[in-house]
Amino acid sequence: MLGIIAGLALWSGAHFFKRLAPARRAGLGDKGRGLVAVVSVLGIVLMVLGYRASAFIPVWHPPAAFTGINNLLMLAVFYLFGVGAAKGALSARLRHPQLTAVILWAVAHLLVNGDLAAILLFGGMLAWAVMQIAIINRSQPWDRPSEVSLRGDLKAGVIGVVLMALVAGVHAWLGVNPFG
């Protein structure tokens, strides 16, 4: 579980760096972007390896019906993650679609995983995303996107379904059936 904690610390630190030390981050220029990317990837690797190496310590037993709820939430996650980039109409109403997607992703996974390592991993990512939203909202005003379209929403929806299929395939390849 130490790997999960270290990975969460690296991930969070890399992402909070820009908001909590903006002058120092700006002073690094393009090298700072590379540094944040490397530390973020290292954080992900540590979280994944730490999760896979953790002993299964049951905390609660999720009901089977939560699998369907998880899958519906994950469909929303993939849509939300892409709606900002696709400039869909929803992106003019929702300030943080990608961070909202992370929150839904974490909640969906907390619903279907009742072990201590999952609670630590997904709960940690949930806490990070909520804190990131609070820090961004406090530090800068929101300039709503002006050029958005329903076409962007449709594009995000199609891409979301394709990505969900790919991720479900990876889960199945790893031996985890995401559909039951």
Side-chain angles (χ1 to χ4, degrees), residues 161-176:
V161 169
V162 170
L163 286 175
M164 184 167 174
L166 289 171
V167 169
V170 169
H171 276 72
W173 178 66
L174 291 172
V176 178

Side-chain angles (χ1 to χ4, degrees), residues 39-142:
V39 173
S40 296
V41 169
L42 182 58
I44 291 170
V45 168
L46 285 172
M47 285 186 274
V48 169
L49 293 176
Y51 181 74
R52 295 196 47 95
S54 294
F56 184 82
I57 301 170
V59 175
W60 73 293
H61 300 286
F66 282 7
T67 300
I69 297 168
N70 170 70
N71 291 330
L72 286 173
L73 287 173
M74 288 306 299
L75 193 55
V77 164
F78 286 110
Y79 167 74
L80 283 172
F81 204 81
V83 79
K87 297 184 181 181
L90 183 62
S91 65
R93 291 178 178 77
L94 186 61
R95 181 171 184 181
H96 307 286
Q98 291 181 332
L99 288 168
T100 303
V102 172
I103 290 168
L104 286 178
W105 169 82
V107 168
H109 283 76
L110 286 168
L111 287 175
V112 295
N113 293 287
D115 62 293
L116 185 60
I119 292 169
L120 181 62
L121 174 62
F122 301 117
M125 289 299 291
L126 173 64
W128 165 78
V130 169
M131 287 188 290
Q132 188 77 351
I133 287 173
I135 290 169
I136 292 169
N137 286 347
R138 185 172 296 164
S139 69
Q140 66 193 55
W142 183 30

